[in-house]
Amino acid sequence: MSAVQGARASLGPGLRRLGTTLLSLVLSLALVGVGWTVFLEVLNVSELVAKSPGDVWAYLFTVPEAAANRETILSGLAVTLRDAGVGLVAGLLAAAAVAMSFVLWRTAERSLMPIAMVVRSVPLVAMTPVITLAFGRDLLATTVISGIVVFFPALVNLVFGLRSASPQAADLVAAYGGSAWTAMRKVQIPSALPSFFAAARIAAPGSLIGALLAEWLATGRGLGYAMLTSGSNFRYDELWASVVAVTLASLAVYALVGVLEAAVLSRYAPRESR
Amino acid sequence: MSQLDRRTLLRRGLQAGGLLLAAPVLAACGDDEPSGGGSGSGLGTLGIRLAWIKNVEFGGEFMADSRGYFKAEGFSKVDLITGGPNATPAETDVVTGKAFAGLSSPDRVGAAVLKGAPLKIIGAHYQKNPFSITSMADKPIRTPQDMVGKKIGVQATNEAVWDAFLKSAKIDPKSITKVPVQFDPLPLTTGTVDGWMSYVTNEPNVLRLKGHKVETMLFAEQGYPLVGEAIFVTTEALKKDRAKVKGMLRGQIKGWKDCIKEPEAAAKLAVEVYGKGLGLEMEEQVLHAKTQNDLILTEDTKKNGLFTLSPDLLRRNIETLAVAGVNVTAERLFDLSVLEEIYKEDASLV
């Protein structure tokens, strides 16, 4: 199969995936909207505090200050998405590098995995002040914090994925005189792709949470901080609109990774993409 | 792929289910202790939402509760509801009926009123604004101008006050690097920040007791007249539960008179009873109680009674609020009539 054909063939599942993803997105959004409204109706929470989907819509689109409101939310969201995106990429790359070194050198895994587990079990909220002392309060700090959220689940998934490669295929590479690195490239990495994307899908919303946390505790920018200040200053419409924005962004990123996954897997691991 | 959809749906369903499961819990939070009326001749339960954790900042309330002043007014039970860095705003708790009254600052109550919350301030513990900027004595910040070009640690919950203070001091916020911090003043001692925003009663005393030499710049002394620890209730309570509002204020006045006279006893209550488990230190709490007396006692309160605002102070508060972007009239935000009534009826309380 030539590369062009392969690329064309991989487009189909990607599009199909996009369709079903969009459908399930719309469905789940409708469900969340209904649940939200019912929740407020049943509980009779003060409407000064609990805003309905209609209130959020009004805040963003129909009130006279709507344009300024949208600007507030979108500029915050842009910062948060940047923080989360950089963290996601950094976390996944780091996890991929470490996972490969684990598989290539057993000693690396034996000496580093326990450390990774210890770091993992320290609550991030408790670790954040230390991180800010070490990395400052700028993009680097948010990258480290949201990268940590991404890193550990991705690492475990990736090590598992790399190990799941067919030993016969690896043996074949060895028989033809290929090195361990060649086996990694030709056999193990392609067979770890499904695990990689499974990890990325879980990690994408996680990176947003990490970014929000970092903004709250370290940088004081983005939606993470805005949500905190709007809550304490009785700007509940802004707070609810921010929550909606983050939720939608999270769903969108999740769907995007899913589409990417379908496209790549149909090329490299046609069985899993079905 | 169909499998995947089912999984997605199942997950979404579970999320929605989780929300519904959480509902009764949240509901229980929402409407326990309906703090209205009460039965018979008594005034029922009194819920006061404090502005901060249970330290001697609320010494007067602790005194009133432990010495039975609230009971004597007819309350069967007193709930002092803790605030703190992660609590919902006091305005929210009072609007939703979780508490009968709350303690907060006029700018926050004002912001809530502008959003339609039916609240009114009925008096204030602190006649002087309690916020200050603490700096290390070798790099002192004595005037707002000293902050220009420096890094100041500001907590998210205090951000509104910070903005308002800069506006009233006519300082460009961009000329200062604001650093988001929490409530442990360590970054000040390590030099991460040059100034630290807090109540003058809290962090400066903590640092002093640890042996640091610090300088404080009190907002009140830089032309920022907003009162602190404002007591507020709903407008409905003022109409329908006036007796209850009055009983609460009378109890608070008696409690605070004791607290002012006996800072050690109030500190002891905070450390050993109400704030037990918070790790409060006796020495620091006594210092706190003494520092806050300076914020409570002014020529006006000595003459007119605790918690009162003179017409001049009230006017300056409204002016400062307007500068800070909270455009609200005195009538809409304040109702000091209950306090006046109390002192008129019983001059011995002054």
Side-chain angles (χ1 to χ4, degrees):
Chain A
M1 197 196 286
S2 79
V4 180
Q5 271 173 327
R8 199 170 299 147
S10 68
L11 219 59
L15 283 178
R16 222 176 327 135
R17 175 61 179 272
L18 187 65
T20 45
T21 310
L22 279 180
L23 190 72
S24 71
L25 257 183
V26 170
L27 245 172
S28 53
L29 281 182
L31 266 179
V32 169
V34 170
W36 178 358
T37 317
V38 170
F39 181 77
L40 296 187
E41 281 296 317
V42 171
L43 291 180
N44 197 18
V45 191
S46 164
E47 54 202 46
L48 288 166
V49 176
K51 301 294 179 185
S52 70
D55 293 330
V56 171
W57 180 267
Y59 171 82
L60 289 175
F61 298 106
T62 56
V63 296
E65 309 87 40
N69 292 343
R70 278 200 303 276
E71 166 66 23
T72 309
I73 301 288
L74 285 179
S75 60
L77 183 64
V79 174
T80 303
L81 280 179
R82 184 203 63 187
D83 289 348
V86 177
L88 177 64
V89 172
L92 283 178
L93 285 180
V98 174
M100 280 193 273
S101 78
F102 278 10
V103 172
L104 288 175
W105 302 288
R106 272 269 165 183
T107 29
E109 178 170 10
R110 258 184 239 123
S111 49
L112 289 179
M113 203 58 161
I115 301 177
M117 283 302 142
V118 170
V119 176
R120 165 102 181 103
S121 45
V122 179
L124 206 52
V125 182
M127 213 155 55
T128 302
V130 183
I131 293 174
T132 57
L133 278 183
F135 297 102
R137 290 172 176 272
D138 294 316
L139 189 60
L140 188 60
T142 54
T143 306
V144 170
I145 293 169
S146 84
I148 286 176
V149 178
V150 171
F151 180 79
F152 292 100
L155 178 65
V156 174
N157 258 314
L158 281 172
V159 170
F160 172 78
L162 290 171
R163 289 256 157 78
S164 71
S166 135
Q168 288 90 341
D171 285 346
L172 185 69
V173 172
Y176 276 94
S179 64
W181 174 239
T182 316
M184 172 66 75
R185 264 188 321 132
K186 301 255 179 209
V187 180
Q188 286 170 319
I189 290 181
S191 56
L193 281 174
S195 312
F196 175 81
F197 279 103
R201 256 190 297 142
I202 301 164
S207 71
L208 266 171
I209 294 172
L212 292 175
L213 183 72
E215 288 166 354
W216 165 33
L217 290 173
T219 69
R221 282 188 289 270
L223 276 190
Y225 198 66
M227 281 159 77
L228 196 64
T229 50
S230 56
S232 60
N233 292 325
F234 220 86
R235 298 197 305 267
Y236 282 101
D237 32 17
E238 185 186 323
L239 177 64
W240 284 81
S242 305
V243 172
V244 169
V246 169
T247 310
L248 288 180
S250 181
L251 282 173
V253 175
Y254 183 87
L256 196 72
V257 176
V259 171
L260 211 66
E261 175 186 19
V264 173
L265 289 195
S266 69
R267 170 84 174 83
Y268 284 96
R271 256 179 317 131
E272 273 85 352
S273 78
R274 223 170 290 136
Chain B
M1 231 174 241
S2 65
Q3 211 179 3
L4 209 138
D5 278 351
R6 226 177 301 147
R7 239 187 334 174
T8 319
L9 275 177
L10 182 65
R11 197 182 42 246
R12 299 273 183 268
L14 282 177
Q15 283 167 352
L19 268 180
L20 290 178
L21 278 180
V25 182
L26 289 170
C29 298
D31 56 23
D32 58 345
E33 310 285 348
S35 0
S39 57
S41 59
L43 294 173
T45 302
L46 173 63
I48 304 180
R49 184 26 233 277
L50 307 177
W52 189 238
I53 58 171
K54 289 184 179 173
N55 64 11
V56 80
E57 195 172 313
F58 312 102
E61 279 75 22
F62 299 161
M63 289 291 221
D65 185 33
S66 67
R67 296 189 173 176
Y69 298 155
F70 287 130
K71 285 237 162 66
E73 295 294 331
F75 291 106
S76 57
K77 185 166 169 268
V78 180
D79 258 343
L80 299 177
I81 305 161
T82 187
N86 305 314
T88 49
E91 291 78 11
T92 308
D93 279 357
V94 175
V95 163
T96 55
K98 266 183 84 178
F100 177 72
L103 293 171
S104 184
S105 57
D107 48 325
R108 292 169 132 208
V109 183
V113 167
L114 286 182
K115 287 280 177 191
L119 299 172
K120 280 235 159 88
I121 296 175
I122 54 174
H125 289 172
Y126 295 169
Q127 305 296 307
K128 289 187 196 156
N129 191 280
F131 278 104
S132 67
I133 298 292
T134 305
S135 51
M136 303 307 277
D138 53 355
K139 275 202 295 178
I141 293 173
R142 295 201 180 94
T143 66
Q145 277 70 36
D146 286 353
M147 297 193 293
V148 172
K150 296 209 169 139
K151 283 181 284 191
I152 310 291
V154 180
Q155 301 79 6
T157 42
N158 295 336
E159 191 118 323
V161 178
W162 168 251
D163 290 343
F165 176 67
L166 290 189
K167 269 185 209 157
S168 85
K170 298 196 174 59
I171 302 244
D172 180 10
K174 287 196 198 79
S175 67
I176 298 174
T177 312
K178 180 185 71 190
V179 180
V181 292
Q182 281 74 49
F183 296 90
D184 174 1
L186 178 82
L188 181 63
T189 59
T190 58
T192 310
V193 294
D194 307 302
W196 187 270
M197 180 167 173
S198 75
Y199 269 24
V200 71
T201 49
N202 282 327
E203 281 94 325
N205 287 337
V206 170
L207 290 170
R208 280 191 191 112
L209 287 177
K210 284 199 176 134
H212 294 287
K213 286 209 163 46
V214 296
E215 186 96 10
T216 57
M217 174 187 81
L218 196 61
F219 283 17
E221 280 157 17
Q222 304 297 332
Y224 193 71
L226 280 200
V227 294
E229 308 287 301
I231 315 158
F232 66 93
V233 294
T234 59
T235 49
E236 200 190 320
L238 274 172
K239 265 189 233 128
K240 292 187 187 155
D241 273 331
R242 208 170 167 88
K244 198 170 169 178
V245 176
K246 210 162 166 180
M248 174 185 75
L249 277 176
R250 285 174 55 94
Q252 284 177 303
I253 292 167
K254 290 180 196 161
W256 275 100
K257 288 181 88 150
D258 285 6
C259 179
I260 291 164
K261 263 183 252 139
E262 306 165 54
E264 280 86 5
K268 199 164 176 250
L269 277 180
V271 174
E272 290 174 7
V273 184
Y274 293 92
K276 206 178 163 197
L278 293 176
L280 300 173
E281 280 171 39
M282 188 64 194
E283 208 183 337
E284 191 260 325
Q285 290 293 296
V286 173
L287 205 54
H288 186 150
K290 287 179 178 163
T291 317
Q292 83 185 351
N293 282 352
D294 295 338
L295 303 172
I296 298 169
L297 293 171
T298 63
E299 288 310 312
D300 283 330
T301 55
K302 280 177 197 157
K303 200 170 66 201
N304 304 326
L306 292 179
F307 312 160
T308 56
L309 277 77
S310 68
D312 179 55
L313 184 59
L314 184 61
R315 183 184 51 77
R316 285 192 293 138
N317 266 271
I318 295 297
E319 278 170 14
T320 305
L321 285 173
V323 171
V326 180
N327 282 302
V328 65
T329 59
E331 293 72 36
R332 197 168 162 204
L333 185 55
F334 288 87
D335 183 345
L336 304 169
S337 62
V338 183
L339 212 49
E340 276 168 33
E341 233 172 85
I342 289 173
Y343 287 120
K344 211 175 273 170
E345 285 167 8
D346 189 351
S348 71
L349 284 173
V350 175

mmCIF file of all heavy atoms in Angstrom, chain B residues 270-286:
data_model
loop_
_atom_site.group_PDB
_atom_site.id
_atom_site.type_symbol
_atom_site.label_atom_id
_atom_site.label_comp_id
_atom_site.label_asym_id
_atom_site.label_seq_id
_atom_site.Cartn_x
_atom_site.Cartn_y
_atom_site.Cartn_z
ATOM 1 N N ALA B 270 -10.868 31.368 71.940
ATOM 2 C CA ALA B 270 -10.547 31.046 70.548
ATOM 3 C C ALA B 270 -9.620 29.840 70.477
ATOM 4 O O ALA B 270 -9.839 28.906 69.705
ATOM 5 C CB ALA B 270 -9.905 32.255 69.865
ATOM 6 N N VAL B 271 -8.586 29.848 71.312
ATOM 7 C CA VAL B 271 -7.571 28.795 71.234
ATOM 8 C C VAL B 271 -8.099 27.468 71.768
ATOM 9 O O VAL B 271 -7.887 26.413 71.167
ATOM 10 C CB VAL B 271 -6.299 29.211 72.024
ATOM 11 C CG1 VAL B 271 -5.297 28.067 72.064
ATOM 12 C CG2 VAL B 271 -5.683 30.449 71.402
ATOM 13 N N GLU B 272 -8.837 27.531 72.895
ATOM 14 C CA GLU B 272 -9.176 26.272 73.582
ATOM 15 C C GLU B 272 -10.575 25.758 73.268
ATOM 16 O O GLU B 272 -10.849 24.569 73.442
ATOM 17 C CB GLU B 272 -9.025 26.457 75.097
ATOM 18 C CG GLU B 272 -7.573 26.602 75.510
ATOM 19 C CD GLU B 272 -7.426 26.932 76.974
ATOM 20 O OE1 GLU B 272 -8.447 26.914 77.696
ATOM 21 O OE2 GLU B 272 -6.288 27.219 77.391
ATOM 22 N N VAL B 273 -11.482 26.625 72.847
ATOM 23 C CA VAL B 273 -12.853 26.148 72.639
ATOM 24 C C VAL B 273 -13.254 26.227 71.163
ATOM 25 O O VAL B 273 -13.349 25.219 70.476
ATOM 26 C CB VAL B 273 -13.862 26.953 73.493
ATOM 27 C CG1 VAL B 273 -15.263 26.371 73.331
ATOM 28 C CG2 VAL B 273 -13.440 26.939 74.966
ATOM 29 N N TYR B 274 -13.444 27.454 70.668
ATOM 30 C CA TYR B 274 -14.063 27.595 69.343
ATOM 31 C C TYR B 274 -13.108 27.239 68.215
ATOM 32 O O TYR B 274 -13.512 26.629 67.241
ATOM 33 C CB TYR B 274 -14.612 29.014 69.171
ATOM 34 C CG TYR B 274 -15.775 29.272 70.101
ATOM 35 C CD1 TYR B 274 -15.581 29.827 71.358
ATOM 36 C CD2 TYR B 274 -17.064 28.925 69.712
ATOM 37 C CE1 TYR B 274 -16.649 30.040 72.217
ATOM 38 C CE2 TYR B 274 -18.133 29.133 70.564
ATOM 39 C CZ TYR B 274 -17.923 29.694 71.810
ATOM 40 O OH TYR B 274 -18.977 29.888 72.652
ATOM 41 N N GLY B 275 -11.848 27.620 68.388
ATOM 42 C CA GLY B 275 -10.887 27.348 67.311
ATOM 43 C C GLY B 275 -9.987 26.174 67.644
ATOM 44 O O GLY B 275 -8.904 26.032 67.096
ATOM 45 N N LYS B 276 -10.464 25.314 68.548
ATOM 46 C CA LYS B 276 -9.675 24.151 68.953
ATOM 47 C C LYS B 276 -9.403 23.289 67.720
ATOM 48 O O LYS B 276 -10.303 23.015 66.943
ATOM 49 C CB LYS B 276 -10.463 23.349 69.984
ATOM 50 C CG LYS B 276 -9.575 22.555 70.894
ATOM 51 C CD LYS B 276 -10.419 21.832 71.919
ATOM 52 C CE LYS B 276 -9.564 20.726 72.525
ATOM 53 N NZ LYS B 276 -10.365 19.741 73.208
ATOM 54 N N GLY B 277 -8.177 22.876 67.551
ATOM 55 C CA GLY B 277 -7.865 22.049 66.396
ATOM 56 C C GLY B 277 -7.339 22.865 65.232
ATOM 57 O O GLY B 277 -6.910 22.325 64.236
ATOM 58 N N LEU B 278 -7.387 24.190 65.362
ATOM 59 C CA LEU B 278 -6.858 25.021 64.276
ATOM 60 C C LEU B 278 -5.373 25.325 64.491
ATOM 61 O O LEU B 278 -4.727 25.920 63.639
ATOM 62 C CB LEU B 278 -7.620 26.351 64.198
ATOM 63 C CG LEU B 278 -9.083 26.293 63.777
ATOM 64 C CD1 LEU B 278 -9.708 27.681 63.847
ATOM 65 C CD2 LEU B 278 -9.209 25.736 62.376
ATOM 66 N N GLY B 279 -4.872 24.925 65.664
ATOM 67 C CA GLY B 279 -3.467 25.182 65.947
ATOM 68 C C GLY B 279 -3.184 26.646 66.235
ATOM 69 O O GLY B 279 -2.114 27.158 65.922
ATOM 70 N N LEU B 280 -4.160 27.342 66.823
ATOM 71 C CA LEU B 280 -3.941 28.758 67.152
ATOM 72 C C LEU B 280 -2.996 28.862 68.335
ATOM 73 O O LEU B 280 -2.992 28.004 69.217
ATOM 74 C CB LEU B 280 -5.277 29.422 67.504
ATOM 75 C CG LEU B 280 -6.353 29.415 66.425
ATOM 76 C CD1 LEU B 280 -7.656 29.962 66.983
ATOM 77 C CD2 LEU B 280 -5.910 30.227 65.230
ATOM 78 N N GLU B 281 -2.206 29.936 68.346
ATOM 79 C CA GLU B 281 -1.290 30.122 69.459
ATOM 80 C C GLU B 281 -1.783 31.236 70.354
ATOM 81 O O GLU B 281 -2.150 32.303 69.901
ATOM 82 C CB GLU B 281 0.112 30.447 68.938
ATOM 83 C CG GLU B 281 0.840 29.207 68.491
ATOM 84 C CD GLU B 281 2.132 29.541 67.783
ATOM 85 O OE1 GLU B 281 2.810 30.490 68.231
ATOM 86 O OE2 GLU B 281 2.434 28.882 66.778
ATOM 87 N N MET B 282 -1.764 30.948 71.665
ATOM 88 C CA MET B 282 -2.307 31.871 72.656
ATOM 89 C C MET B 282 -1.684 33.264 72.519
ATOM 90 O O MET B 282 -2.399 34.257 72.410
ATOM 91 C CB MET B 282 -2.021 31.270 74.041
ATOM 92 C CG MET B 282 -2.681 32.009 75.170
ATOM 93 S SD MET B 282 -4.485 31.946 75.071
ATOM 94 C CE MET B 282 -4.905 33.217 76.247
ATOM 95 N N GLU B 283 -0.363 33.306 72.495
ATOM 96 C CA GLU B 283 0.349 34.586 72.485
ATOM 97 C C GLU B 283 -0.092 35.423 71.274
ATOM 98 O O GLU B 283 -0.349 36.620 71.397
ATOM 99 C CB GLU B 283 1.845 34.287 72.390
ATOM 100 C CG GLU B 283 2.728 35.342 73.015
ATOM 101 C CD GLU B 283 4.201 34.982 72.805
ATOM 102 O OE1 GLU B 283 4.517 33.780 72.596
ATOM 103 O OE2 GLU B 283 5.018 35.896 72.818
ATOM 104 N N GLU B 284 -0.188 34.743 70.133
ATOM 105 C CA GLU B 284 -0.532 35.436 68.896
ATOM 106 C C GLU B 284 -1.973 35.926 68.939
ATOM 107 O O GLU B 284 -2.298 37.023 68.483
ATOM 108 C CB GLU B 284 -0.301 34.478 67.717
ATOM 109 C CG GLU B 284 -0.367 35.105 66.353
ATOM 110 C CD GLU B 284 -1.700 34.856 65.675
ATOM 111 O OE1 GLU B 284 -2.281 33.768 65.870
ATOM 112 O OE2 GLU B 284 -2.167 35.767 64.983
ATOM 113 N N GLN B 285 -2.857 35.110 69.496
ATOM 114 C CA GLN B 285 -4.266 35.485 69.579
ATOM 115 C C GLN B 285 -4.496 36.678 70.526
ATOM 116 O O GLN B 285 -5.342 37.518 70.271
ATOM 117 C CB GLN B 285 -5.112 34.273 70.024
ATOM 118 C CG GLN B 285 -5.207 33.193 68.962
ATOM 119 C CD GLN B 285 -5.998 33.661 67.741
ATOM 120 O OE1 GLN B 285 -7.175 33.941 67.817
ATOM 121 N NE2 GLN B 285 -5.326 33.770 66.612
ATOM 122 N N VAL B 286 -3.719 36.722 71.612
ATOM 123 C CA VAL B 286 -3.837 37.869 72.534
ATOM 124 C C VAL B 286 -3.411 39.143 71.808
ATOM 125 O O VAL B 286 -4.093 40.174 71.854
ATOM 126 C CB VAL B 286 -2.973 37.647 73.797
ATOM 127 C CG1 VAL B 286 -2.961 38.910 74.655
ATOM 128 C CG2 VAL B 286 -3.497 36.464 74.605
#
